[in-house]
Amino acid sequence: GAQMIEAWNAIGLDYATFGNHEFDFGPDVLAQRVAESKFGWTAANVIDKRTGQPFGGAKRSIVREFGGVKIGFFGLVLPETKITSRPGENVEFRSPCDTAKEVASELHGQGVKVVVALTHLSMREDKEVARCAGVNLIVGGHEHTLLESHAGIAPIFKMTSDARELGRIDLNITPDGELDSIDWQVIPVDSTTKEAPEFAAIYRKYSSLLAELAKPVGRTSVALDARSKENRTRETNVGNFVADAFRKATAADIGLMNGGSIRADAVIGPGTLTQRDLLSILPFKNKLVKIEVTGATLRAALEHGVSRSAEDAEPGGFPQVSSVKFSFDASRPPGSRLVDVTVNGLPLDDAKKYTLTTTTFIALD
């Protein structure tokens, strides 16, 4: 992640909050990245248990004055980061809603009338924060698609992923500090966007790595659907291919992975596949594990994988499978959504034992 800190330093970023993947390399690496930052971090609900303060020197909240008007900012991060990443035993993730209420009250006590939350939460959680804390604006992340919504008194904006869109949000505030109106626009970042000269040194520093990533490793005759939303909500050819590879590499009965582990968020090919393409599809260093499970356990795993399909935007647990076919009804209550499951063309036998290959991330979760 060092290259991203250099990029953000170069563009003159003011504030950021953590996402769940900032902790993927452990708390020590993230603390080092924070120390390298020339901008401020805010994460009100991410607490270092040893100090009782926000992790890594991040601020609980920040107050800025513009023309004598005080604006308050604070950050919130997904509580599930505790189990989906590697924050370590000394990092605590507190309730976003409870924390937001406390911080918003503190900011109002300091004379702040306009409060902005920088969040890395699901849209459902963002709406809960908007309703319970009375913030004026939420600039969020986590989902990988362009999302705009509203709850309480706050508009909520999420500008896709991989810096493909830039969001400009103008707060029109009266001289006495009251928020009068909000204007916004989505600015595409594409091949027509001019390169910034201050990035030249950063490009050169990482040129050898970029050249390594550009090496061809294969070809595909069809377009590979590695888009985030699709792999988190339905069967895709990339999901099938990866699950098939898992199963065949270990001679297992079944291959299974979570759709959220497919990260490229793009349609790749047809044509040459580079090392960058493969690493963008599967960037995590999870090892494969072949285990024995009962049909009942497999059924429970599939139920879990579709349990949030209608509850949260783009949940990451959707099952991509090999040698398994299943259908489900998202209108049913979670835990009872599976309609039909077969393994190698035969009905799933709850009492039978099957060999299954998946990642250590799934097996240990």
Side-chain angles (χ1 to χ4, degrees):
Q3 81 284 0
M4 293 309 305
I5 300 299
E6 291 194 58
W8 291 333
N9 284 341
I11 67 173
L13 187 69
D14 286 309
Y15 309 119
T17 195
F18 306 130
N20 49 310
H21 289 294
E22 263 69 62
F23 289 92
D24 282 355
F25 294 97
D28 292 342
V29 171
L30 177 54
Q32 179 60 35
R33 297 289 85 82
V34 172
E36 295 164 358
S37 304
K38 296 178 181 178
F39 50 90
W41 292 86
T42 172
N45 71 324
V46 184
I47 305 300
D48 188 327
K49 295 179 181 178
R50 297 165 297 185
T51 65
Q53 299 299 313
F55 173 81
K59 301 295 184 182
R60 179 172 170 85
S61 63
I62 299 164
V63 177
R64 283 281 300 273
E65 281 199 27
F66 299 89
V69 174
K70 292 182 178 179
I71 311 296
F73 302 86
F74 70 95
L76 297 170
V77 184
L78 280 163
E80 68 184 53
T81 302
K82 186 68 178 178
I83 58 174
T84 61
S85 191
R86 299 178 176 88
E89 61 182 15
N90 293 317
V91 180
E92 175 186 3
F93 296 83
R94 295 180 178 173
S95 163
C97 189
D98 291 345
T99 303
K101 285 192 288 187
E102 294 172 2
V103 177
S105 177
E106 293 167 7
L107 289 170
H108 290 147
Q110 298 176 52
V112 171
K113 294 184 179 180
V114 178
V115 179
V116 178
L118 307 178
T119 70
H120 197 96
L121 304 169
S122 69
M123 179 59 84
R124 174 180 58 81
E125 291 167 313
D126 275 322
K127 289 181 178 180
E128 289 174 357
V129 168
R131 295 188 188 103
C132 76
V135 298
N136 300 97
L137 169 67
I138 294 178
V139 180
H142 193 56
E143 287 92 351
H144 291 192
T145 49
L146 181 65
L147 297 176
E148 300 172 349
S149 191
H150 192 282
I153 61 171
I156 304 167
F157 300 100
K158 306 201 181 197
M159 295 294 155
T160 67
S161 62
D162 299 322
R164 290 173 300 185
E165 276 83 22
L166 172 69
R168 173 170 176 160
I169 305 167
D170 294 320
L171 306 181
N172 304 310
I173 301 171
T174 64
D176 61 356
E178 299 292 341
L179 181 59
D180 179 67
S181 63
I182 298 178
D183 298 305
W184 70 90
Q185 65 181 123
V186 180
I187 304 170
V189 181
D190 53 28
S191 59
T192 65
T193 305
K194 294 181 179 179
E195 292 187 355
E198 59 267 31
F199 269 77
I202 298 176
Y203 291 157
R204 287 195 297 270
K205 182 174 181 178
Y206 294 97
S207 60
S208 61
L209 175 59
L210 293 172
E212 180 72 19
L213 291 175
K215 289 183 178 179
V217 294
R219 292 187 60 83
T220 175
S221 60
V222 299
L224 302 179
D225 191 351
R227 291 174 294 177
S228 178
K229 183 177 180 179
E230 281 65 23
N231 279 278
R232 292 167 182 255
T233 55
R234 64 175 178 81
E235 179 185 23
T236 67
N237 61 357
V238 168
N240 286 338
F241 178 69
V242 174
D244 284 348
F246 285 5
R247 177 178 59 84
K248 292 177 181 179
T250 57
D253 297 322
I254 298 163
L256 180 146
M257 72 172 301
N258 64 310
S261 286
I262 296 172
R263 307 298 294 195
D265 201 15
V267 176
I268 300 173
T272 300
L273 289 173
T274 66
Q275 186 168 322
R276 181 173 186 166
D277 292 327
L278 300 190
L279 289 174
S280 67
I281 293 172
L282 293 178
F284 305 122
K285 296 182 179 180
N286 295 312
K287 295 182 179 180
L288 295 187
V289 58
K290 182 179 179 181
I291 58 178
E292 189 175 71
V293 299
T294 64
T297 297
L298 176 62
R299 186 184 301 277
L302 295 175
E303 280 283 9
H304 176 73
V306 299
S307 65
R308 298 172 66 187
S309 56
E311 177 186 340
D312 279 304
E314 304 176 28
F318 187 85
Q320 299 290 345
V321 294
S322 175
S323 82
V324 173
K325 290 186 178 181
F326 70 93
S327 59
F328 71 101
D329 184 348
S331 68
R332 294 182 179 180
S336 60
R337 290 179 170 173
L338 285 182
V339 175
D340 181 65
V341 185
T342 63
V343 179
N344 289 318
L346 299 175
L348 177 66
D349 184 343
D350 284 358
K352 182 178 178 179
K353 291 185 177 180
Y354 300 89
T355 55
L356 179 148
T357 295
T358 188
T359 64
T360 51
F361 174 74
I362 296 297
L364 299 175
D365 188 11

